């Protein structure tokens, strides 16, 4: 039987994820304005996005599109 705590920790992301809005596009390089106010981040992606799209960013890579709505920060 495997350790339940280890399985729970394996579900959590290893790097923090942030939500931001694309402000500049030059595929595969994008500039993303992060919602938490930390500023612009230069990111890359294999998928094509447009200016104004909301995306999830982790380790300077766009992971996926972000849902619309309010952003809430949860401290763990």
């Amino acid at each position: 039987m495997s350790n339940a705590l280890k399985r729970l920790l394996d579900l959590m992301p290893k790097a923090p994820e942030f939500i931001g809005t694309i402000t500049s596009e030059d595929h595969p390089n994008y500039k993303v304005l992060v919602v938490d106010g930390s500023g612009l981040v230069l990111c890359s992606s294999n998928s094509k996005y447009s200016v104004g799209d909301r995306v999830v960013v982790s380790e300077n890579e766009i992971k996926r599109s972000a849902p619309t709505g309010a952003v809430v920060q949860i401290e763990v």
Side-chain angles (χ1 to χ4, degrees), residues 1 11-12 14 23 27 31 33-34 42-43 47 58 63:
M1 180 166 29
L11 292 174
M12 301 186 88
K14 304 300 181 226
T23 58
H27 184 71
K31 288 184 182 175
L33 181 61
V34 179
L42 183 61
C43 300
S47 301
S58 180
K63 299 295 185 182

Side-chain angles (χ1 to χ4, degrees), residues 57-76:
V57 176
S58 180
E59 295 182 334
N60 294 354
E61 184 179 352
I62 298 174
K63 299 295 185 182
R64 60 190 173 278
S65 294
T68 59
V71 176
V72 178
Q73 291 184 352
I74 301 172
E75 192 171 325
V76 181

Side-chain angles (χ1 to χ4, degrees), residues 7 10 16 22 25-26 29-30 32 35-36 38-39 41 49 59 62 69 73:
R7 289 189 320 206
D10 288 342
I22 295 179
E25 69 169 291
D26 182 21
N29 300 314
Y30 298 90
V32 178
V35 172
D36 70 354
S38 61
V41 178
Y49 295 97
E59 295 182 334
I62 298 174
Q73 291 184 352

Side-chain angles (χ1 to χ4, degrees), residues 14-25:
K14 304 300 181 226
E17 293 186 338
F18 301 98
I19 294 179
T21 304
I22 295 179
T23 58
S24 174
E25 69 169 291

